[in-house]
Amino acid sequence: MLSKQMQQALVEQINKEFHSAYIYLGMEAYFENENYKGMSAWMNKQVKEEISHAMKFFRYVYERSGEVSLDTIEKVSVDYKNPLDVFKAGLEHEKFITSSIHGLYDLALAEKDYGTQELLRWYISEQVEEEANFEYIIAMLEKSGDNPGGLMILDEKLGARE
Ligand code: FEO
């Protein structure tokens, strides 16, 4: 059984993961508006990943005989300056989520909640991968600058995301 404090913290994280999905859906909309079809497809995969992160927490709360409540999801933007602006905003958001996951892990350590620690170790690794993905794309976008040929090649490459 989860402590009340841990349950509340996990429920807040479910909201943050759905908010992440919504942020990336806003980015997908921006790429659709600008006809970057590959980047739009990449973001669509990201949206689905975030929903799966939320659902993994959701299932876990019930596995531990807890209950979830579902709060409002904050409004998001569909306006960005360019692809680099989008991925930089994505990286900043992932850093925020990483610190939120670390906060949950600190709480699980303090409570000696070993089951939740085990779950969170998966998210800690996932966050390393998430930040690395955004950092790599930012580096590629910085190399291509405003070169339309470079942007088109990158758009095609990102569209092939598994
Ligand atoms: Fe659910 Fe992108 O972290």
Side-chain angles (χ1 to χ4, degrees), residues 3-14:
S3 73
K4 281 280 164 238
Q5 199 188 351
M6 181 55 82
Q7 175 172 299
Q8 184 53 31
L10 292 172
V11 162
E12 283 168 18
Q13 190 64 34
I14 290 172

Side-chain angles (χ1 to χ4, degrees), residues 10-127:
L10 292 172
V11 162
E12 283 168 18
Q13 190 64 34
I14 290 172
N15 186 273
K16 285 178 192 163
E17 299 291 346
F18 276 119
H19 184 227
S20 303
Y22 209 38
I23 287 172
Y24 295 131
L25 189 59
M27 293 176 175
E28 183 180 340
Y30 164 80
F31 286 132
E32 281 292 324
N33 294 343
E34 297 295 319
N35 272 309
Y36 286 111
K37 295 290 182 192
M39 294 187 205
S40 166
W42 192 95
M43 277 301 163
N44 184 266
K45 301 256 167 59
Q46 192 67 23
V47 169
K48 288 176 179 153
E49 243 189 49
E50 298 303 345
I51 293 171
S52 78
H53 294 169
M55 291 312 296
K56 194 175 170 80
F57 278 120
F58 179 97
R59 297 272 167 242
Y60 178 74
V61 170
Y62 282 104
E63 218 179 332
R64 295 288 306 277
S65 306
E67 268 182 35
V68 307
S69 54
L70 296 169
D71 212 341
T72 312
I73 300 172
E74 223 179 288
K75 188 175 179 190
V76 298
S77 178
V78 297
D79 293 320
Y80 292 92
K81 288 200 286 280
N82 50 42
L84 182 58
D85 185 36
V86 174
F87 284 97
K88 280 187 168 171
L91 177 61
E92 285 316 300
H93 182 69
E94 288 303 330
K95 287 181 179 170
F96 164 73
I97 294 294
T98 298
S99 83
S100 180
I101 297 285
H102 290 173
L104 285 172
Y105 194 71
D106 288 341
L107 179 62
L109 286 175
E111 291 192 357
K112 296 191 187 325
D113 178 343
Y114 300 112
T116 305
Q117 287 172 31
E118 183 61 24
L119 173 85
L120 290 169
R121 277 193 285 274
W122 181 89
Y123 283 93
I124 290 168
S125 305
E126 180 71 6
Q127 282 310 118

